[in-house]
Amino acid sequence: MPTRRVRALAPDVASDQESGWATELVDLDNDGDLDVIAGFSRLDQLVAGALDPDEQPDGLWLQEGGVFVDAAAAWGLDQRRSTRGLVVTDFNGDGWLDVLKTATNEPAALWTARCGPQAWLVVTLEAPAPNPRGIGARVVARAGEQSWTRWITAASTSYVSSAPPRAHFGLGETDHLDSLTVHWPDGTVDRWTDLETRQRVTARHVDAGD
């Protein structure tokens, strides 16, 4: 079956991808572009006349050159199951995102990433109460003319699941960052310069009153 390349994404009804319960926009291959991973399963209430099997194949689309390439089978993430939730985060601290799937009537399953040479950066925020994790902050990494933006969120686009509130950057071949900028929810901005990639850092809010 040929690889499908699309600019816009929609469930593949021909493959029984009828009802999406979990979707995350993340950089799974650390190339600097955001990819899409999704979990599918039956709705609790069927639409009249719809075919909606209990178990449906999950999806993965990698962004390449401005289009999304169907890579679920190649990555071993096309399981036909009753997926309900996804948690995509770096569970083992190697700089690559792993995938935890929850499903009805079966245990959660974890798929760990196979690492490669691509660069990465993981950023955790620390701020004063009442928002110590910096929820709502915008984090921008920059190298030359390139920039990457991530948001710190507490919620999730997946059913009853949520990843740790930290920013993961896939950075491709970038070994050095000119700057890392945090736009805090209170309107202040902190910037750090001259950072190496392939590390985990904590960005602490600089209180103007200190």
Side-chain angles (χ1 to χ4, degrees), residues 40-41 58 81-86 101-109:
F40 296 88
S41 61
D58 294 334
R81 62 204 308 268
S82 299
T83 299
R84 280 294 193 266
L86 288 173
K101 296 183 182 181
T102 64
T104 59
N105 301 319
E106 55 184 301

Side-chain angles (χ1 to χ4, degrees), residues 82-202:
S82 299
T83 299
R84 280 294 193 266
L86 288 173
V87 174
V88 184
T89 192
D90 181 9
F91 282 96
N92 55 7
D94 60 6
W96 289 73
L97 293 173
D98 310 304
V99 178
L100 178 72
K101 296 183 182 181
T102 64
T104 59
N105 301 319
E106 55 184 301
L110 175 65
W111 284 262
T112 54
R114 298 177 181 177
C115 300
Q118 291 81 1
W120 52 272
L121 186 76
V122 177
V123 182
T124 301
L125 302 188
E126 288 187 3
N131 187 8
R133 296 185 178 183
I135 303 302
R138 177 164 56 97
V139 186
V140 181
R142 185 176 296 277
E145 297 300 317
Q146 287 187 294
S147 65
W148 301 264
T149 300
R150 300 290 184 268
W151 292 85
I152 303 298
T153 62
S156 172
T157 54
S158 296
Y159 179 70
V160 295
S161 55
S162 184
R166 56 193 180 212
H168 173 274
F169 293 90
L171 298 169
E173 298 180 357
T174 302
D175 295 321
H176 180 86
L177 292 175
D178 295 328
S179 64
L180 180 72
T181 305
V182 179
H183 300 260
W184 299 95
D186 64 6
T188 60
V189 178
D190 289 328
R191 180 176 290 109
W192 296 264
T193 59
D194 193 19
L195 286 85
E196 298 298 321
T197 62
R198 298 182 179 85
Q199 64 170 322
R200 309 168 73 86
V201 300
T202 298

